Amino acid sequence: MKRELPYFQIDGSYGGNQDWFADEFMRGGGCGAETACDVSVYLAMHKNISRAYPFRLPVVREDYVAFSQMMRPYLSPRPMGIDRLDIYIDGFSAYLRDRAVDCIALAPWEGTRSYEETRAVVRRQIDAGMPIPCLTLRHRAPSMAFYVWHWYLITGYEDFDDACAVKAVTYGSWRRLDLRTLWETGYERRGGLILLGDARA
């Protein structure tokens, strides 16, 4: 089974791009803010939550860069990065509250959860039409080097009998990643997922 969320393009970029940000601190450490910006655009475009993104649609690059500066106080770069799920949830939730978006709730899915549980929750989230912010910290697999200490989005999956591939979005492009490889980092301290849901449920 294969499911992918609809997404958006900005000047040929698949979603936003951290390299566009206005200053070197955001370009180097604004990955958390970038995923929150993309999720906000997604909510406005595909969930009809217009207050989530305070600019015109379709998205243009100039507005997206201005939006990243609005998001910066909520998910600002810091020496160790946004390296815990609760930091991300606190920041993005505060942004949504300030925008009067009260229909979306954020919940942590810790990296200590099993692969099988995580495979199931990824399917549930994507089937429900929700993108998934994902944090990877250290990782032993060379194929995951690009994603070390990084926030990115999962926006689709393809399930096989013995494996699951996910669509990972970052820096204005996407790749297919094996979910088991992504999840089983080889380190005790892991990142995790942010689950978006209906706050009224």
Side-chain angles (χ1 to χ4, degrees), residues 76-154:
S76 60
R78 58 201 73 198
M80 291 301 294
I82 299 171
D83 61 341
R84 301 197 319 266
L85 304 185
D86 62 298
I87 298 174
Y88 187 99
I89 288 173
D90 288 349
F92 194 19
S93 295
Y95 167 77
L96 294 173
R97 282 195 306 272
D98 288 350
R99 292 294 306 165
V101 176
D102 56 5
C103 56
I104 296 294
L106 308 179
W109 184 267
E110 296 290 348
T112 51
R113 304 291 289 263
S114 74
Y115 164 71
E116 291 300 336
E117 289 178 300
T118 301
R119 181 175 177 176
V121 84
V122 165
R123 288 189 55 171
R124 287 200 300 271
Q125 288 293 109
I126 299 298
D127 289 352
M130 289 297 189
I132 308 169
C134 179
L135 170 64
T136 296
L137 297 175
R138 294 189 296 169
H139 207 296
R140 294 193 187 280
S143 62
M144 288 296 295
F146 185 71
Y147 300 89
V148 166
W149 224 268
H150 190 53
W151 284 93
Y152 50 99
L153 290 176
I154 294 173

Side-chain angles (χ1 to χ4, degrees), residues 57-76:
L57 294 174
V59 186
V60 298
R61 178 167 168 172
E62 178 183 6
D63 289 347
Y64 188 88
V65 173
F67 185 38
S68 73
Q69 288 299 102
M70 289 180 60
M71 191 64 74
R72 176 177 179 160
Y74 299 95
L75 290 166
S76 60

